[in-house]
Every structure is written in C-alpha cells, then in structure tokens.
Amino acid sequence: MNRQNIDVIIAVYNGGKYIREAVASVQAQSWKNVNIIVADDGSTDDTLSVVTGLSQSDQRIKVLSFPHRGVSATLNAAIRQSSASCIAFLDADDLWHDEKLEKQMQALAGSDVEICFSLLQEFESFVQGEPQTSSARKEPLKGYSKITFLGKRTLFETYGLFEEKVAIGDFVEWYSRVVRAGEPVIMLEEVLAFRRVHHDNTTRSAPKNEFLKLLKTHLDEKRRSTD
C-alpha cells in the first residue's frame, strides 16, 4: 500500500492539561507518515509552550499560532496550510487507537469512497478538585464525528471549509453538506477513537439552543434540496 502522508490537525484552546496525551496518541500511530499540525487558538495557558517543546523532538509536529477566533476559524486556517492528500482531526482532549489511521487507510484503499469513520468510545476523566461528570456513555457510538473522520483534502474544495459563524457543532454543520450531496462513506464497526468526558467539554457548557439552531438549519437546507 502507498504510505501517503496524512495531515492530522489538532485545533486547541487552553488545552495544556491534555495536549501531550493527544499528540502522543498521534505519534503512536502505526501509520507513521503523518504531519501533526497543532493550531493554537490564542491560548492563555501553557498550551503553546508545551506543543513548541514537543515539536523540538519530533519534526513531524508543526505549530501554528493564531489570535483567539474560535475553533472553526482555527481549523480553517490549518486546513489552508495543510498539503497532504488526506486529513484527519483530533481534539486536544481526545485520543486514538494506535491503528486508527492504518485501518482507515486500508478501508479507503482501492475504493472510490473518500471518507471513513469509525465507532468511538467515551471515557471519564476525573481531575482532583473538579466536579465528577459521571456521564460517559458505556456503549460505543456511531462515530460521525470530527475525531473519527479521515478524508481526502479535496473534500474541503468540494464542500467548502467549516462555517466560522457556527459557535459549536462545526463538524456537524460541515458534514450535513456532505450528507445532502449523497457522498458515500465507510463506517468501520470498531472503536478507533476515544472521547474524553470532563468538566470543561465545550459541548457540555454550550447553550442547547445552539444545537437546535444548527439542526433547524440542516433540516431547512434538506427540505429546500428536495423541493
């Protein structure tokens, strides 16, 4: 199999607590032809110094630093600076199975499909002195998620970049365009990504009406496309 490069993009804002584990999760991949693009969204903690230190011992790590603009704008800036034929995303507090990229590349090889997902498993993260969430779901989830995604970078030329006006659910909004276009995908029925559930999860603190607005936008677009 052609061991082509994959650009792994990690957008991070004040993720110094977990970013080492996330980067190590990419470094441990059995598919070694990866570029690790860590895009810092104006963090005010030690994130930037941590990832800069990590980059000094691994030339595959590229550190980008931007003023704080939000995750969608940061992801878009990183995508614009990417060059590999395939792109994957990992959140700064999440982890991957060691064979995540390998198995997904094998699944895409020899097919016309350009997107591969996998199941994901939530796990609990307890930090002393912080409230315990106790909300990680025990059963694996269908991972139509940013952290399970592996796809051709040409998809972002076809369907555009992330919508920067979307406060949360950036990937959901983007993927809704893909679904409406009928783009085929592969879903691997095994857990290859792990989503950390903790007190600082963005989606835990986000207003519920943001999700409702996103859902309404998707449904309105779907109705218009079928009229």
Side-chain angles (χ1 to χ4, degrees):
M1 185 190 304
N2 180 17
R3 308 294 287 188
Q4 58 189 293
N5 277 354
I6 301 170
D7 282 337
V8 177
I9 297 175
I10 305 175
V12 55
Y13 175 68
N14 288 349
K17 189 185 300 182
Y18 304 116
I19 189 64
R20 287 184 183 84
E21 291 179 71
V23 171
S25 179
V26 183
Q27 291 172 313
Q29 290 295 299
S30 57
W31 189 278
K32 296 301 182 184
N33 289 13
V34 298
N35 306 307
I36 306 170
I37 303 174
V38 182
D40 182 68
D41 182 27
S43 294
T44 57
D45 66 355
D46 64 346
T47 296
L48 195 54
S49 63
V50 169
V51 294
T52 299
L54 293 173
S55 70
Q56 292 173 357
S57 59
D58 189 340
Q59 63 181 4
R60 298 177 300 170
I61 301 173
K62 179 179 181 180
V63 181
L64 306 177
S65 180
F66 305 102
H68 183 54
R69 298 181 296 170
V71 64
S72 296
T74 303
L75 285 168
N76 288 343
I79 292 170
R80 291 187 185 101
Q81 295 198 36
S82 68
S83 58
S85 59
C86 291
I87 291 177
F89 303 102
L90 180 61
D91 287 342
D93 50 358
D94 296 329
L95 304 171
W96 281 345
H97 186 286
D98 290 354
E99 295 182 305
K100 192 257 189 192
L101 298 179
E102 180 100 36
K103 291 186 175 184
Q104 290 185 303
M105 290 297 283
Q106 288 174 348
L108 292 177
S111 81
D112 294 328
V113 181
E114 297 188 349
I115 300 175
C116 185
F117 292 103
S118 74
L119 302 184
L120 69 83
Q121 179 70 60
E122 293 185 339
F123 70 100
E124 207 74 31
S125 178
F126 296 117
V127 178
Q128 188 171 1
E130 293 185 358
Q132 292 187 357
T133 57
S134 301
S135 58
R137 286 165 283 193
K138 293 181 173 57
E139 296 300 319
L141 306 172
K142 287 280 188 183
Y144 294 103
S145 163
K146 184 164 54 186
I147 68 168
T148 68
F149 170 88
L150 173 72
K152 302 292 179 65
R153 82 181 306 279
T154 51
L155 290 161
F156 296 95
E157 298 169 7
T158 303
Y159 300 107
L161 298 175
F162 294 110
E163 174 53 66
E164 297 184 8
K165 294 180 181 178
V166 174
I168 58 169
D170 47 276
F171 186 81
V172 174
E173 191 281 330
W174 180 84
Y175 186 57
S176 71
R177 298 177 228 158
V178 177
V179 172
R180 290 197 298 272
E183 182 79 34
V185 305
I186 295 172
M187 169 61 71
L188 298 181
E189 296 292 331
E190 56 184 312
V191 174
L192 297 177
F194 304 92
R195 182 164 62 200
R196 189 190 305 263
V197 178
H198 59 91
H199 181 61
D200 296 326
N201 281 133
T202 302
T203 52
R204 287 178 56 81
S205 58
K208 289 184 179 179
N209 64 347
E210 291 290 342
F211 287 107
L212 294 176
K213 283 195 296 184
L214 187 60
L215 179 60
K216 182 179 184 300
T217 299
H218 169 62
L219 292 175
D220 288 346
E221 290 291 338
K222 187 173 183 181
R223 278 193 290 269
R224 277 196 288 270
S225 67
T226 56
D227 287 343

